[in-house]
Amino acid sequence: MMNDDSPDAFRNVSRKPGMQIWTINNMQLVPVPAQGFGNFFEGDCYIVLHGSGQSADIHYWIGNSSSQDEQGAAAIYVTQLDEYLGGSPVQHREVQGSESPRFRSYFKNGLIYKKGGVASGFRHVDTNAYNVLRLLHVKGRKHVAATEVEVSWNSFNNGDIFLLDMGKAIVQWNGPQSNRREKLKAVLLAQDIRDRERGGRAQIGVVEGGNEEDSPELMKVMMAVLGQRTGQLKDAIPDDKPDQVQNASVRLYHGNLVVQEVATQPLTQDLLHSSDCYIVDQRGSSVMVWKGKQASKEERREALNRAVGYIKAKNYPSSTTVEVMTEGGESAMFKHLFKSWRDKGQTQGLGSTYSLGKIAKVDQVKFDVMELHARPELAAQQRMVDDASGDVKVWRIENLELAEVNPSTYGQFYGGDCYLVLYTYQRSNQQQYILYMWQGRHATKDEITACAYQAVNVDNKYNGAPVQVRVVMGKEPRHFLAIFKGKLIIFEGGTGRPGVVNPDPGARLFQVRGTDELNTKATEVLARASSLNTNDVFLLKTDKTCYLWYGKGCSGDERVMGRAMSDVLSRQDKQVVMEDQEPAEFWVALGGKAPYASDKRLQREEPPHSPRLFECSNQTGQFRMTEVDDFAQSDLDEEDVMLLDTWEEIFFWVGNLANQQETKEAWNSAQEYLRTHPAGRDPDTPIIFVKQGYEPPTFTGWFNAWDPHKWSGGNSYEEMKKKLSDAASISQITVDVNNANLNKSPGGMGGGSYRAPGGPRGSGMYLDPQLLINKSPSELPQGVDPSQREEYLSDADFENLLGTTRPDFQRLPKWRQNDLKKKAGLF
């Protein structure tokens, strides 16, 4: 059995980023070759190491029919591997069928559960092994899992998708009640099996279960393997219960033998002491263990077992996810459960906490608009789509209709009104629009409703192109501040409607925040001494004079902006007042002297939380949100509504094919999401509505390598199916199947030579690259598709010219493929 010092098991652990997988065979670790990644035997346990250094994750995966011994061995290896890597990786326990979003994100095309295990004669995948005959039952829209089932019509049902895999050919059968998204995911899985396990050499055909008569050849193939079908297929099986994304109840526990409750939400970082280990329980949906740096070696080693024991003691399902992490190496998910989180070495005092009177200073970067376009990640972090030099138009809601606001008063917002602000800017020679809906704190319900209704009218006028942003008074996003060029003033109450006289409130006090034209606003606060703050500039307007009060903690830039703001607010003479040198009249106007926030830089930093993406769907008849870990642009699904939480704002991305009901429910669920968020989030966080194809850089910047052309020429299911179902490749499948004697046991699938997909039909020949390179379409050999020249190259020529293998090339975004083709002269 294993001894304590068994680093020899980890001799082949590479310190490089990427992924390594081992399976447990006779209590020993056996590496799994890369072609086998994503295949899991149900009778085995696996260890998956992803990433390196500080940001590594170790998962141990438990097959449904694996033995207790193997599960125990896996847990011990995980703890040892963690120690071997210095204790910084996050450890995760994964159970077949209930894997975490992070684990699934490593296998973007899906997981395959295989019958049997090591004990049943485990053989490594051989890329030339076509002697396969199996039926895969594919389930899932975002997270796909395929399970090997009995090769028989009895395994089929009307709602799911099945892949009949015969080695050289794979036939995909789509249940009549499956949807486009599921079909697309299954095609991607079939292609993944072809590329990863068959070295790119297998044909794929697709049958629509509702219209089998449209695919007579493929049906013949299926009948040849499965026999004639008798009777009706089974009904669709409903999908599993919805994932609970977040539960309102989070509890923190600690203790060795007796687990004691320490606190309930919202949790704060100071509850965690370095000398202890803690369990955070998200009402059974996930259990996380935090190991303090100074906790004893014994305690840290036991952490994983303790969590598993805790799940048993609480009678939680055995599939409950477990994460174990070390102080300093916390996962994003863990930090999201805390009200505020500061990482070591993070500066104090800069940031953007919003509560009035304590609005922390945002460290504004001066930007150049070209750079924001070139670097969307900067746009996203700064929350700025451009340098705010576009056109602004403002309407006020009056008698529930839109009334244009006089441009000379742009930037003045009254708490008794609602406004629509349309901002227009250019990006790559195209007009882009943002429509802000600003709702005053004292506006009537009717006005707020009218504001939303009028926004829809404006949106329709511009063909749905505007990005809509709900702005709550006092929580204006950074870009909103910038478009008013340092003249944004927010009046607590009243109205800006012409002809309405607002009652005279006597003295009025305004807090000015900002260091330049892009980030400054003045907010009316209660005209009392207690509203002052030593870090800011305040304007006190009385009927006689306008005081400019400079707190000791404010900078020269802030004073300049305060002075400019005072000119917008009042034509009276200004009197400068330095903190601690106030004249008596100043305090009289404020109703007397009183203590106020005078601690320099008392701001708490808003933590830089990592963004999280959720899919919102009512496909199962009830609304649910599912998290997508390690997300990419390809996870945005045309049929769905997605929610991107960047902490400072919430984006709603609406796909072109999303249904109305989902879109409507998504708005409500965004508010519900904020309300029930375990970290006690601000319910007025801006909610931004983005439509597919009109994404602003503040959204796209959170995605790595955003491709703006993806939607125009993306790989929709229809396009992929068309590619696969040219007559030649279907006849090839029939040839393969006829040559293979399927009555024998699965094996001996000979026959059918491999042909270039879509290559010169029936010839089985590749072309000399010289006939394809730098030729105009008219000079190409007859029958060659000019947009697919690379398909006519042999594998060796393909790699020589394009510098990458066929399967790797297929995984690149379209623009990158075209780049490589241009360089090789194949475009």
Side-chain angles (χ1 to χ4, degrees), residues 154-434:
N154 298 333
S155 301
F156 283 67
N157 71 58
N158 282 315
D160 291 326
I161 294 174
F162 292 82
L163 298 181
L164 179 60
D165 180 2
M166 301 163 283
K168 283 213 166 153
I170 299 171
V171 177
Q172 172 174 338
W173 182 91
N174 295 330
Q177 290 161 36
S178 55
N179 64 34
R180 265 187 62 249
R181 177 68 183 179
E182 292 166 326
K183 294 174 185 179
L184 174 62
K185 284 298 206 178
V187 168
L188 292 171
L189 176 63
Q191 292 182 335
D192 187 47
I193 293 172
R194 174 192 68 195
D195 298 340
R196 200 167 32 80
E197 298 187 20
R198 312 284 147 77
R201 296 175 164 74
Q203 298 292 348
I204 298 171
V206 180
V207 176
E208 294 299 342
N211 309 37
E212 293 180 340
E213 59 285 355
D214 295 352
S215 319
E217 282 111 323
L218 292 175
M219 282 310 293
K220 269 196 209 115
V221 171
M222 290 187 75
M223 297 292 185
V225 178
L226 300 163
Q228 284 301 320
R229 190 166 63 202
T230 52
Q232 292 292 302
L233 290 180
K234 290 192 281 236
D235 286 341
I237 311 165
D239 281 343
D240 299 341
K241 57 179 190 311
D243 313 4
Q244 283 302 308
V245 170
Q246 59 183 26
N247 290 314
S249 144
V250 175
R251 293 176 171 346
L252 179 69
Y253 297 94
H254 105 282
N256 288 343
L257 299 167
V258 185
V259 176
Q260 294 154 336
E261 185 169 321
V262 179
T264 57
Q265 66 186 43
L267 303 176
T268 51
Q269 195 177 352
D270 53 10
L271 294 165
L272 302 171
H273 298 297
S274 292
S275 53
D276 272 328
C277 291
Y278 295 83
I279 290 177
V280 176
D281 177 3
Q282 222 181 332
R283 203 196 276 155
S285 66
S286 76
V287 169
M288 303 183 186
V289 182
W290 183 89
K291 303 182 294 190
K293 282 237 160 87
Q294 265 91 59
S296 69
K297 192 166 182 182
E298 204 39 55
E299 241 189 308
R300 299 201 352 223
R301 207 169 247 193
E302 275 303 300
L304 187 56
N305 286 338
R306 182 156 311 131
V308 176
Y310 174 83
I311 288 174
K312 285 197 182 116
K314 283 279 197 189
N315 277 330
Y316 288 156
S318 62
S319 59
T320 304
T321 55
V322 174
E323 275 191 10
V324 179
M325 64 211 72
T326 300
E327 180 177 353
E330 295 86 359
S331 66
M333 178 79 191
F334 183 82
K335 292 181 194 170
H336 259 261
L337 297 175
F338 287 75
K339 178 89 182 151
S340 61
W341 189 275
R342 180 179 275 116
D343 286 323
K344 265 217 164 49
Q346 192 175 308
T347 55
Q348 308 255 337
L350 288 171
S352 56
T353 324
Y354 281 115
S355 59
L356 250 186
K358 291 205 184 61
I359 319 177
K361 314 219 163 164
V362 174
D363 196 13
Q364 281 287 355
V365 178
K366 288 270 190 293
F367 13 71
D368 155 17
V369 65
M370 290 320 291
E371 187 171 23
L372 288 175
H373 291 274
R375 295 180 50 210
E377 70 280 7
L378 182 72
Q381 283 155 12
Q382 293 296 332
R383 275 96 179 161
M384 296 285 280
V385 293
D386 68 347
D387 60 356
S389 60
D391 293 327
V392 181
K393 184 158 187 173
V394 184
W395 295 272
R396 187 185 301 105
I397 303 290
E398 292 180 17
N399 307 324
L400 311 188
E401 294 298 326
L402 286 182
E404 293 196 13
V405 170
N406 178 343
S408 68
T409 64
Y410 275 10
Q412 296 173 30
F413 289 83
Y414 289 84
D417 289 330
C418 287
Y419 300 82
L420 288 183
V421 176
L422 181 68
Y423 178 76
T424 310
Y425 65 106
Q426 291 275 338
R427 189 160 97 239
S428 39
N429 296 329
Q430 256 190 327
Q431 295 274 38
Q432 311 276 341
Y433 306 96
I434 301 176

Side-chain angles (χ1 to χ4, degrees), residues 430-682:
Q430 256 190 327
Q431 295 274 38
Q432 311 276 341
Y433 306 96
I434 301 176
L435 182 60
Y436 290 104
M437 298 169 270
W438 189 92
Q439 301 165 358
R441 193 174 293 136
H442 307 290
T444 65
K445 264 275 189 287
D446 288 351
E447 284 168 334
I448 291 173
T449 310
C451 181
Y453 171 74
Q454 294 294 353
V456 173
N457 290 345
V458 174
D459 188 58
N460 290 338
K461 198 169 133 196
Y462 291 92
N463 299 326
V467 170
Q468 295 177 39
V469 185
R470 175 199 77 155
V471 179
V472 175
M473 173 172 169
K475 306 284 170 65
E476 292 75 17
R478 301 182 196 181
H479 185 260
F480 188 85
L481 269 55
I483 62 182
F484 293 107
K485 310 280 182 292
K487 299 195 165 99
L488 176 61
I489 303 181
I490 292 162
F491 297 94
E492 176 58 33
T495 174
R497 290 170 215 202
V500 178
V501 180
N502 290 311
D504 175 28
R508 303 183 84 165
L509 183 64
F510 296 84
Q511 180 171 25
V512 183
R513 264 287 158 81
T515 52
D516 60 39
E517 284 198 340
L518 291 179
N519 65 10
T520 299
K521 72 169 171 179
T523 310
E524 184 171 6
V525 292
L526 198 60
R528 289 275 173 274
S530 56
S531 300
L532 296 171
N533 182 326
T534 191
N535 294 309
D536 293 313
V537 175
F538 284 78
L539 306 177
L540 175 62
K541 190 175 181 311
T542 65
D543 45 8
K544 294 194 191 61
T545 182
C546 180
Y547 295 101
L548 254 162
W549 184 86
Y550 292 147
K552 288 180 178 167
C554 62
S555 65
D557 287 343
E558 289 169 313
R559 293 177 189 191
V560 170
M561 291 317 296
R563 162 74 68 179
M565 193 64 89
S566 71
D567 293 336
V568 179
L569 192 66
S570 159
R571 293 211 177 83
Q572 300 157 302
D573 286 343
K574 312 297 183 301
Q575 186 182 342
V576 172
V577 173
M578 304 305 274
E579 183 175 4
D580 285 349
Q581 297 170 23
E582 298 86 355
E585 309 84 77
F586 178 84
W587 293 121
V588 169
L590 288 176
K593 205 168 174 177
Y596 57 86
S598 56
D599 176 14
K600 275 215 190 98
R601 294 290 170 261
L602 44 71
Q603 290 82 7
R604 279 298 309 261
E605 166 131 32
E606 265 295 305
H609 284 95
S610 8
R612 294 171 72 188
L613 182 72
F614 299 93
E615 172 196 28
C616 308
S617 145
N618 64 358
Q619 291 284 338
T620 50
Q622 60 198 117
F623 188 80
R624 62 191 279 187
M625 282 169 63
T626 317
E627 180 159 10
V628 183
D629 201 90
D630 186 26
F631 57 83
Q633 185 181 0
S634 54
D635 291 313
L636 298 173
D637 173 356
E638 298 197 72
E639 294 186 346
D640 274 331
V641 176
M642 311 291 291
L643 180 149
L644 177 69
D645 177 1
T646 67
W647 202 269
E648 248 184 65
E649 68 252 297
I650 301 267
F651 287 96
F652 258 115
W653 181 91
V654 181
N656 285 337
L657 308 172
N659 68 43
Q660 285 295 291
Q661 192 53 31
E662 252 166 30
T663 311
K664 215 165 75 204
E665 296 203 24
W667 266 109
N668 303 337
S669 65
Q671 283 152 338
E672 182 65 5
Y673 171 81
L674 284 169
R675 208 176 53 69
T676 61
H677 195 287
R681 294 281 286 281
D682 182 341

